[in-house]
Amino acid sequence: MADDAALVFGGLLTLDVAQLTDRLPPVGEKGTSTAAYMDVGGPAANAAITARRLGSAAFIHTVVGSGDLADYVRRVLSEHRVALHDHAPDATVPLASIWIDAPTGGRTILATNNAHLRLHPEGRLLPDTAAAVLLDGHYPDLALALAIEARNRGVAIVLDCGRWRPVFSELLPLASDVILCEIFRPPGIEATTDAELVETIARDWEPEVCAVTRGSNDILVVADGVTHRVSVPQVQVVDTTGAGDLLHGAYMHFRYVERRSALDSLRSAAELASRSCTHLGVRSGA
């Protein structure tokens, strides 16, 4: 293990307010949740906290902002020993409202993401010990600044491709590892199956590793020109919130700190993400 290796995460952090319910009420009616929690969330933050809990040094570049809610976020990050770089200290902390369907564990999310903010990162962004940087496509100016510095310094770039965002057209050519959500579709890509999607992106952008996660189904991975399947443990699902984010953070740790192979890293990351789905709360079972 590279004990001094640091992992950097750039993208969205949210303050999550989650409610577990047996039935979402129709519009205009009220409902009652059976359980609830509040925690720091968002793809970059969940991934960073996961990597830190596994033992990596973790740095996050994001937007937190000011006020009581932002103070709470900073306290949580400090408790997890994740180093924060807030690029809009006068902004409002992004808020995510999450409804979790108790019968299936599926979640519905409405969130603010400060997408209108134009950030202007300055100076050196990556620590000397940076081994890899994960980018989720939020805050494009920040993502590009981190990617360019990482490329210039020979630091691996891992992409968390949830939904298509225009900045990915500039990030994909720079990436060493690309992890796709099955709904990710670049313009002009007419893949009709998940295998076609991952194989097309692997061919067109040539990352070292390209994978598509598909919930509880096998992860499809293209590495060294060969398509592989990584099985996902089947569990009794309670809450799927943040499972993909945990997978990304764990993959970063296993691949770039423990220096495992991509397939082994994805396999162990999928096991951790699956365990997280068996409890209410993003990190309760991980």
Side-chain angles (χ1 to χ4, degrees):
M1 181 184 297
D3 292 333
D4 61 343
L7 301 177
V8 180
F9 301 82
L12 183 64
L13 173 150
T14 59
L15 178 60
D16 293 353
V17 179
Q19 307 266 5
L20 179 70
T21 180
D22 294 322
R23 171 181 169 272
L24 287 176
V27 174
E29 295 188 13
K30 296 180 179 180
T32 302
S33 63
T34 56
Y37 65 86
M38 183 173 73
D39 200 354
V40 170
N46 281 333
I49 292 172
T50 299
R52 184 68 193 95
R53 284 162 60 95
L54 289 170
S56 294
F59 297 74
I60 184 169
H61 290 266
T62 187
V63 170
V64 172
S66 60
D68 293 341
L69 296 181
D71 291 343
Y72 170 80
V73 168
R74 288 189 173 86
R75 186 165 67 250
V76 171
L77 292 177
S78 177
E79 289 170 354
H80 286 290
R81 292 184 293 169
V82 173
L84 169 65
H85 300 266
D86 184 1
H87 290 266
D90 295 325
T92 301
V93 62
L95 185 66
S97 184
I98 304 171
W99 293 270
I100 303 161
D101 178 56
T104 66
R107 81 286 186 271
T108 301
I109 301 175
L110 284 176
T112 57
N113 61 13
N114 285 328
H116 63 285
L117 290 179
R118 295 299 303 271
L119 305 182
H120 304 283
E122 296 179 351
R124 190 162 178 163
L125 302 174
L126 305 181
D128 292 339
T129 55
V133 56
L134 177 75
L135 304 171
D136 62 20
H138 291 86
Y139 308 124
D141 300 326
L142 175 60
L144 283 173
L146 286 164
I148 291 169
E149 182 175 335
R151 181 197 60 185
N152 291 340
R153 293 177 51 189
V155 174
I157 299 169
V158 182
L159 298 186
D160 164 9
C161 298
R163 290 180 293 170
W164 172 259
R165 302 177 189 280
V167 71
F168 281 122
S169 64
E170 298 178 81
L171 296 176
L172 280 165
L174 306 177
S176 54
D177 306 57
V178 176
I179 304 178
L180 313 164
C181 175
E182 59 191 325
I183 66 170
F184 184 82
R185 286 294 186 280
I189 299 293
E190 298 181 355
T192 58
T193 67
D194 298 330
E196 288 180 1
L197 171 66
V198 70
E199 290 168 0
T200 299
I201 291 177
R203 182 193 67 225
D204 290 355
W205 280 283
E206 300 183 331
E208 295 176 18
V209 178
C210 187
V212 58
T213 59
R214 307 181 301 153
S216 61
N217 296 318
D218 290 353
I219 301 170
L220 303 181
V221 189
V222 176
D224 298 322
V226 178
T227 301
H228 307 266
R229 288 180 176 266
V230 173
S231 61
V232 173
Q234 302 302 296
V235 297
Q236 185 65 43
V237 173
V238 174
D239 180 7
T240 61
T241 305
D245 308 337
L246 268 65
L247 182 145
H248 302 143
Y251 176 81
M252 289 278 283
H253 172 81
F254 296 136
R255 177 107 163 103
Y256 286 104
V257 176
E258 294 194 359
R259 298 294 182 181
R260 301 193 206 174
S261 70
L263 293 178
D264 188 38
S265 296
L266 282 168
R267 189 172 296 108
S268 294
E271 291 171 358
L272 182 146
S274 295
R275 286 198 305 273
S276 77
C277 294
T278 63
H279 295 74
L280 182 65
V282 176
R283 283 168 281 279
S284 297

